[in-house]
Each structure stands twice: as C-alpha cells, then as structure tokens.
Amino acid sequence: MLFRNATLADGRRRDVRVSGETVAAVGEDLGVREDERTVDATGKRLLPGMIDAHVHFREPGDSHKEDWTTGSASAAAGGVTTVVDQPNTSPPTVDGAAFDEKAALAADSLVDFGLNGGVTADWDPDSLLDRDIFALGEVFLADSTGNMGIEEPLFLDALAEADARDVTVTVHAEDAGLFNVSAQERDDADAWSAYRTARAEAAAVGRACEVAAERDTTIHVAHTSTPRGIDIAADAGMTCEVTPHHMYLSRNDLRELGTHGRMNPPLRREKRRQRVYDRVVDGTVDMVATDHAPHTADEKDAEIWDAPSGVPGVETALPLLLADARTGDLTYERVRDLTAANPADVFDLPNKGRVAEGMDADLVLVDPGKTHPIRADRLHTKCDWTPFEGREAVFPELTLVRGSVVYERDAGDRPGGESETFGDAVGRNVRTAAGGRDERGSEGGRLSRGDETESIADLAAEVVEEPPDEER
Ligand SMILES: NC(=O)N[C@@H](CC(=O)O)C(=O)O
Ligand SMILES: [Zn+2]
Ligand SMILES: [Zn+2]
C-alpha cells in the first residue's frame, strides 16, 4: 500500500509505503508499483495510531457495557491502534488464570493490546507476573469501579514485585482519607466533585511518588486531573497521563451532564481544567489516555451516590485533539507525542509510536479540513452515549494496524455513516509480539527528567497543609 504526498506530523510531505506489517519506506517520490493499492493523501495528515494506555473493555464479567469487539471497533474508528486494558473486571486480573481468561477474550480485538495485571489482597504475583502483562496497574490507592482499593503496605509489596521483574507500575492516586464527607449531604451531580477533592489527588500522587523514589523506582500516574498532581509527578521524575474529559470538561458541565459526568477522579473547577490543559500543551503531561470506562445510560441514570463512575472516550480522544490542532491550540507534533511517541517511549514499545521506516504500520489518515460533530449514535461503543455530544472533531478516514486496514470510511461520508467498514480481528498482545518481557531492554523507555526526587516529601507535606478550595 502506498500513501502518496501525505503530510506527516512534523509538516514534511512524503510518500509512505507499507509492506506487510511495517512501514517499508518514507520518501519524497517513491513511485507507484502496479501491484499495490495507492491512496492519494494530498492535503491529509498521516499520523501514528494512538496508543491509549488506559481503557476498560469490561470483559470478562460486564460485557453488557463493552466487549472486545465493540471496544476495539470504537478504538479503530477513533484512530487508536493499541489499547491497554485495566484489571478491574470480573474476575479481576490478579492471577495467571484470570490473565489467561482475559487474553483469550482479547483475541476478538481489531487493534493491538496490552493487558494490565491488578493488585488486591488476593493477588498472586508469581503466576500473574509470569504472564505477558503490559504493566502492573492501575493500582487503586482508593476505591473506584470494582472496589479494588488497597492500603499502602500492599502497594509497597507491589512496587517491590514489579521492580524485581522490571514491570512498570501505574497508579490510580486518590487518598480517601482526604475526601470531604460533608459533601455527602448533597444530592446534586456536583457533590461528587466536592467529595473527591483535588487535595486528595495531590496528596496521593505525592505519597506514591515519594515511596517509589525512596525505592529508586518509577511509577506512571494514571488520569491526573489537577495541575498540582501533574506538577508533583513531573517534578519527581515520574510520568503521568491526562484524560480528554479532564482536558475538555469542568464542574460547569455537570449541570448538563448530571450523573453521567460522575467519574474518578472527578471533574474539577474550570480554572483547574485550564491549567491542566496548559500542561498538556507545554509538555509537562506525558500522554493523553482516555480511561474509557463505559457504563450504560440506564446505569448512569441514578442518584449521584448510586451511579457508577466512568465515561467512554476511546473513539473521541484523537478526534478532539485533532480539532485543537486545526485551530492551533495544539501542534500536530504535540498531538503525535501525547498520543503515540511518548506512550511508546514510556511503556517501551520500540516498534510503535512513529511513522518511520521499519516501524509497525499503525497509521491513521485524517483530513484536517473536515470536522464533524460528535454524535453518540454514530459511535461504536456499546454504552451508546458520550459526554462530548455535539463537539466538533476530526475523525479518521483510514486506520491501519500493522499494515491491515481495520477501519475505513469513504472520504465523502460522515463518521458512523453508510460507507464505513471494519477489518478483521488482527490485534495481538504487544508484549507477546515483542518476544515477551525477558527479551526487552532492562532500562524501559521512561522519559528522562531531572533528578529532583529529594523535594517530593516536602511537596507532599505542603499539599496536606493546602486548603481544599485553593486553585492550584
Ligand atoms: N474512572 C472511573 O471513574 N471508572 C473506571 C475505574 C477507574 O479508572 O478508576 C471504571 O472502570 O469504570
Ligand atoms: Zn482509575
Ligand atoms: Zn481507569
């Protein structure tokens, strides 16, 4: 397959040839071969597929919310070519048998995948870490969907087990001891945000980074939602991700979203949202990951204290970022780094994340000139709703996973329209494909940052003093 005259993330115009599973050549005029499909990419952007390091595809146990077929179709249509599934399924992915059960289900995936291993009192590190897990996590330092919250001693055990086998640990950082219990007297949707305070996140991020640094290891902080949490992780030399809902939605949106806008960590004040967005723009944030957490609309239509936490997002993340690249709020290079190059570096996927010769042909073709409003009924997640209804976004026309077309839409049609087609379930475990954990480099691909870990204890202490409503 040959993409002719495509514009890459850095603005270069190039022909890109795909041969088998990889990018065979990137050049100025590669010449057309008779036996290959040619795509005229003039005026279009050809980007590396998104690596979404945080999704919940709900199998086994909750396939009425999502399954690997619908979740991965949603990913493919949104330009996501690798997903990382989290362990809070039923049963939870905390031992070798549970991992094997999930791995068999993931064979339905249209896109490449990683499967994380979880930590609970019942986990079995020996059998779990013997499998090709992607990372250990998200380790729940407070309860979220699945009630997998653990206490610090178990977290320390998990850090040691993972470090001994060179597995990265990812953390859901909230400190339930700092939740604002007085908010429980309220019954409006905003009460959830008042309850799970910004301070509870910052303190938990600080503490998790501190204990990791003391043990001379690193962690990746999942779904940071506050500027303070991001700064603490970055200053500690750790990595972090931000979700599209924390980039684009704030407590102001809860009037309209109601209980559908409940998630962990919750939506923050508008001022904090802006500062989170600034940190995505300036590169303090390492990656965008969706925390795609589907629940049905029926389930979400409950009292605020009864509704499940989580929103879908895997299909709309890259399209929303590309809409911002169109207006200039983000550069295409930043979008590439946030969605592909950085997750590939942080999680050690050397064949993914860039459009270059020899890399996996995980590619997304978009026409930056064409925006479409996000409509729930045109998305492919089983949960059938979106918190981003009506927002303009730039959807892919073509998505390739290791050279196979997994999603294609006629350039003239709208997303979710008649001319849309999906490919076969070609997805593979990215750890197994790389030859398993033992054969990967021992250094991992963590982004290097200054060694400023001494100040973490101070930062964490400072956070505990901080008044809850201060805008930091
Ligand atoms: N984010 C959420 O609110 N929910 C997630 C769990 C999680 O990531 O904490 C889910 O699995 O539903
Ligand atoms: Zn979480
Ligand atoms: Zn999650």
Side-chain angles (χ1 to χ4, degrees):
M1 186 158 173
L2 181 72
F3 292 92
R4 293 192 65 199
N5 201 28
T7 306
L8 307 181
D10 59 13
R12 286 178 300 152
R13 281 197 192 85
R14 291 290 183 273
D15 290 356
V16 175
R17 171 163 287 128
V18 174
S19 176
E21 298 194 352
T22 57
V23 172
V26 178
E28 265 175 274
D29 190 1
L30 296 180
V32 181
R33 289 181 191 158
E34 266 177 33
D35 57 344
E36 71 188 352
R37 177 179 168 191
T38 303
V39 175
D40 180 8
T42 304
K44 299 184 184 179
R45 290 270 173 173
L46 188 67
L47 304 170
M50 179 165 173
I51 299 165
D52 185 349
H54 195 142
V55 305
H56 299 266
F57 279 180
R58 303 301 191 203
E59 283 194 296
D62 286 292
S63 51
H64 68 286
K65 299 178 197 261
E66 198 74 286
D67 61 40
W68 276 93
T69 300
T70 54
S72 70
S74 196
V80 175
T81 52
T82 301
V83 293
V84 179
D85 189 60
Q86 300 295 340
N88 58 336
T89 42
S90 304
T93 320
V94 294
D95 57 35
F99 178 94
D100 294 343
E101 184 183 359
K102 182 175 283 188
L105 294 161
D108 289 342
S109 185
L110 278 74
V111 301
D112 278 353
F113 56 85
L115 305 176
N116 276 357
V119 180
T120 60
D122 303 329
W123 77 312
D124 178 30
D126 288 334
S127 65
L128 182 65
L129 294 167
D130 183 51
R131 303 304 196 275
D132 289 327
I133 68 168
F134 183 84
L136 200 60
E138 57 182 292
V139 176
F140 290 92
L141 301 183
D143 271 344
S144 186
T145 306
N147 296 332
M148 288 171 71
I150 61 167
E151 300 295 330
E152 185 165 305
L154 189 49
F155 175 48
L156 300 182
D157 288 348
L159 276 181
E161 295 279 3
D163 198 35
R165 305 183 210 217
D166 198 35
V167 170
T168 303
V169 174
T170 76
V171 177
H172 176 128
E174 288 182 283
D175 180 347
L178 294 173
F179 290 171
N180 173 12
V181 289
S182 72
Q184 286 173 322
E185 286 156 27
R186 290 168 47 185
D187 59 5
D188 58 313
D190 183 68
W192 193 252
S193 292
Y195 174 59
R196 294 183 82 121
T197 58
R199 196 164 72 115
E201 172 175 286
V205 173
R207 181 67 188 149
C209 292
E210 182 182 21
V211 298
E214 279 169 6
R215 282 153 188 79
D216 209 18
T217 187
T218 56
I219 55 169
H220 172 78
V221 187
H223 47 47
T224 43
S225 62
T226 58
R228 191 88 177 127
I230 293 164
D231 289 347
I232 292 169
D235 286 347
M238 311 295 165
T239 56
C240 72
E241 69 195 31
V242 163
T243 69
H245 45 276
H246 292 115
M247 287 175 67
Y248 294 110
L249 302 172
S250 73
R251 287 169 78 164
N252 294 348
D253 295 293
L254 289 169
R255 267 187 295 270
E256 201 167 318
L257 290 171
T259 57
H260 283 57
R262 176 179 145 169
M263 82 289 288
N264 303 325
L267 296 180
R268 306 299 186 187
R269 293 175 198 283
E270 173 59 16
K271 248 193 186 151
R272 279 203 176 90
R273 181 200 70 78
Q274 284 172 17
R275 290 181 186 166
V276 165
Y277 190 94
D278 292 345
R279 284 157 175 74
V280 171
V281 172
D282 72 18
T284 311
V285 169
D286 299 283
M287 68 188 78
V288 172
T290 64
D291 194 11
H292 176 79
H295 301 280
T296 67
D298 268 358
E299 291 167 334
K300 295 289 279 186
D301 276 328
E303 298 295 320
I304 186 64
W305 300 102
D306 300 331
S309 297
V311 298
V314 72
E315 192 165 348
T316 45
L318 186 61
L320 283 166
L321 294 172
L322 290 171
D324 282 357
R326 205 172 168 263
T327 60
D329 287 342
L330 288 167
T331 64
Y332 284 97
E333 282 170 300
R334 177 65 69 207
V335 172
R336 174 202 59 199
D337 290 350
L338 289 164
T339 60
N342 289 354
D345 283 349
V346 168
F347 291 110
D348 196 15
L349 301 171
N351 299 322
K352 297 196 182 290
R354 287 178 182 83
V355 178
E357 195 178 316
M359 303 291 279
D360 285 355
D362 296 344
L363 301 170
V364 184
L365 187 70
V366 300
D367 184 342
K370 289 193 191 131
T371 67
H372 295 276
I374 293 173
R375 297 285 178 225
D377 62 4
R378 297 179 196 166
L379 300 176
H380 302 84
T381 170
K382 206 181 266 191
C383 80
D384 266 348
W385 65 278
T386 169
F388 303 112
E389 185 74 31
R391 284 174 191 256
E392 290 294 322
V394 178
F395 285 91
E397 292 179 355
L398 192 59
T399 306
L400 270 67
V401 172
R402 281 179 291 100
S404 295
V405 175
V406 291
Y407 173 80
E408 183 159 18
R409 164 171 70 84
D410 185 83
D413 199 10
R414 60 174 172 73
E418 301 277 290
S419 73
E420 203 175 51
T421 52
F422 289 90
D424 297 330
V426 295
R428 282 207 305 238
N429 181 339
V430 293
R431 291 300 186 222
T432 305
R437 248 189 342 271
D438 296 344
E439 286 167 42
R440 296 197 329 273
S442 61
E443 284 305 305
R446 284 150 195 158
L447 297 183
S448 53
R449 275 213 187 88
D451 187 17
E452 298 168 60
T453 48
E454 276 147 295
S455 60
I456 303 169
D458 298 341
L459 279 167
E462 196 186 318
V463 160
V464 178
E465 303 302 321
E466 191 189 9
D469 282 340
E470 197 182 318
E471 294 290 354
R472 299 189 66 177

